[in-house]
Amino acid sequence: MSLWQRPLKRLQAIAEHGTYRFRLNSLKGFVSLFLVGTVLSVALAACSGGGTGSNASSETPSATPVAASKDNVELTLVSFAVTKAAHEAIIPKFVEQWKKDHNQTVVFKQSYGGSGFQTRAVIDGLEADVVHLALAGDTSKIEKAGLIQPGWEKEVPNNGIVSKSVAALVTRPGNPKNIKTWEDLSKDGIKLITADPKTSGVARWNFLALWNSVIKTGGDDAKATEFVTKVYKNVPLLTKDAREATDAFFKQGQGDALINYENEIILAEQKGEKLTAIIPDVNISIDNPIAVVDKNVDKHGTREVAEGFVKYLYTPEAQQEFAKLGFRPVDDTLTLSKEVADKFPKVKTLGTVADFGGWDGINKKFFADGAIFDRIQAKKK
């Protein structure tokens, strides 16, 4: 079922506050659902006069979206920290295209932060229309909270992955500690800066990159645990998100090495910073998903524009902007171009989330309370 063709399924959402259930296998059932939906819509609209503004609505998704009849529509994008530069380049292009096609001005509200923090904020009430998070596991948490309908990753290209990167090692100029591989991070006297996997999706990728470096070179879980424990003993502080980790390393001068997204390194170099960075040959594919927050867009009447924005992010125009700012494109035609090939070095051995059983298994094994990461941290005390 495509993202833009789900009317019958969407009609069932109107019964969420009660116990009504309808079967849409007869005309009578359909008419009954329509009538109940109309009554509930009118009642909820009447109660929302002092709510979040004129865009708030409880119309069923199959009806004409409230926002479609307005000259201006507001869309809230919640994303993880390192996508900010890319979205700030892409959003004006989308706004221009939407105005041309629909004669409607889209105004964006944007929020950026650690992926785990952003996920919790949306679950706790931050009314995002669209979420672009560091890992599919965070999007799944919002789904499990009842805000995103199951199957979101199948309704857009590439299983919902709209941006991707790999992990990079950054050192001090000239690399005085001679850090060249993941293994070097476990040596005595090395101070590593990275974010906290409890709050940052980027940091979970960093952890997986370290773990993956052992598994992909013939090690088992015992060796991987031993190695990663040594590395985290060399971490003097865990920042809230990747942006804070970058600031701690560059602006505050902390640490000998930093693990971060490759795209952050490219962006810093574009701003004139001279960096010493290594893309390890054994690496992890860092895949970032996009999703419409169903419950919120139906409430706001913004489904059409939210889905339009998500669709736009997969266009060559948007993917080129991601690539310019250091994200490896998900568009195969761009990936094969000489310009992109020259910009992004090849990785010999690339691990994926699927190699470790998907995010449900990863979170349970590594990041749940009392799991491997907590046990590693406990050994530091």
Side-chain angles (χ1 to χ4, degrees):
M1 189 182 301
S2 72
L3 179 63
W4 305 279
Q5 296 176 325
R6 305 162 64 180
L8 292 182
K9 182 178 179 182
R10 300 284 183 203
L11 281 167
Q12 292 172 317
I14 195 66
E16 67 179 348
H17 102 295
T19 58
Y20 297 104
R21 294 186 181 273
F22 297 88
R23 297 184 181 272
L24 299 182
N25 56 3
S26 69
L27 177 61
K28 180 179 180 180
F30 183 89
V31 171
S32 298
L33 177 58
F34 178 81
L35 291 175
V36 171
T38 302
V39 172
L40 286 176
S41 294
V42 172
L44 289 171
C47 294
S48 65
T52 57
S54 59
N55 283 348
S57 171
S58 298
E59 288 192 56
T60 61
S62 61
T64 301
V66 169
S69 62
K70 294 184 175 294
D71 293 332
N72 300 310
V73 57
E74 184 176 271
L75 202 67
T76 299
L77 168 67
V78 173
S79 191
F80 63 108
V82 301
T83 64
K84 184 176 181 182
H87 281 302
E88 287 181 343
I90 292 169
I91 284 173
K93 294 178 180 293
F94 169 74
V95 169
E96 180 181 3
Q97 186 65 48
W98 190 265
K99 178 71 172 179
K100 179 181 177 181
D101 293 343
H102 300 269
N103 195 29
Q104 186 180 55
T105 299
V106 184
V107 178
F108 276 81
K109 290 176 66 178
Q110 301 169 61
S111 173
Y112 300 93
S115 189
F117 179 85
Q118 297 290 75
T119 299
R120 175 49 54 190
V122 172
I123 292 172
D124 288 346
L126 175 58
E127 294 190 358
D129 296 296
V130 176
V131 288
H132 183 188
L133 299 172
L135 42 95
D138 283 345
T139 312
S140 294
K141 290 178 183 177
I142 299 175
E143 174 194 326
K144 290 174 182 176
L147 301 177
I148 296 176
Q149 290 190 3
W152 57 270
E153 69 273 28
K154 301 298 182 183
E155 295 166 356
V156 290
N158 204 40
N159 285 323
I161 303 303
V162 75
S163 60
K164 62 196 303 183
S165 191
V166 295
L169 288 175
V170 189
T171 69
R172 294 299 173 191
N175 195 7
K177 295 293 182 75
N178 199 30
I179 298 167
K180 297 180 179 180
T181 66
W182 296 115
E183 187 177 2
D184 292 332
L185 298 177
S186 66
K187 293 179 179 178
D188 292 340
I190 299 296
K191 297 298 181 185
L192 172 68
I193 302 300
T194 184
D196 187 346
K198 291 289 190 176
T199 58
S200 167
V202 175
R204 295 195 179 196
W205 287 115
N206 293 350
F207 182 99
L208 282 181
L210 292 165
W211 189 274
N212 179 73
S213 72
V214 176
I215 301 300
K216 290 296 185 183
T217 53
D220 57 13
D221 278 9
K223 288 185 177 180
T225 301
E226 180 183 5
F227 168 69
V228 176
T229 299
K230 289 180 179 179
V231 171
Y232 277 89
K233 283 183 178 179
N234 288 340
V235 178
L237 79 160
L238 290 168
T239 63
K240 183 177 67 175
D241 59 40
R243 182 66 62 197
E244 287 189 5
T246 301
D247 288 346
F249 185 77
F250 288 110
K251 295 181 180 180
Q252 300 168 24
Q254 299 188 50
D256 304 303
L258 168 76
I259 308 178
N260 213 330
Y261 279 13
E262 176 188 44
N263 65 279
E264 283 286 271
I265 310 309
I266 293 173
L267 181 59
E269 290 174 339
Q270 289 175 352
K271 292 180 178 179
E273 297 182 29
K274 295 182 179 180
L275 305 179
T276 302
I278 303 106
I279 306 297
D281 285 339
V282 179
N283 218 305
I284 192 84
S285 181
I286 298 171
D287 301 331
N288 319 130
I290 193 84
V292 169
V293 185
D294 294 297
K295 187 171 183 178
N296 291 340
V297 297
D298 291 342
K299 175 181 178 181
H300 302 155
T302 54
R303 176 172 294 281
E304 182 183 12
V305 66
E307 292 178 350
F309 178 63
V310 168
K311 184 178 180 180
Y312 182 80
L313 292 180
Y314 287 94
T315 64
E317 293 79 12
Q319 284 295 308
Q320 284 172 354
E321 292 300 328
F322 278 122
K324 286 178 185 177
L325 292 164
F327 287 95
R328 297 189 175 216
V330 299
D331 185 331
D332 289 339
T333 59
L334 291 178
T335 301
L336 296 174
S337 72
K338 185 178 185 304
E339 180 183 358
V340 170
D342 291 344
K343 189 170 192 172
F344 302 107
K346 290 184 178 179
V347 174
K348 292 181 180 178
T349 305
L350 192 65
T352 67
V353 167
D355 294 338
F356 300 99
W359 278 111
D360 284 345
I362 288 169
N363 287 332
K364 183 178 180 179
K365 179 175 181 176
F366 297 117
F367 306 120
D369 290 343
I372 288 176
F373 180 73
D374 279 354
R375 295 198 295 270
I376 287 172
Q377 286 298 97
K379 291 179 181 179
K380 293 174 62 175
K381 298 177 181 179

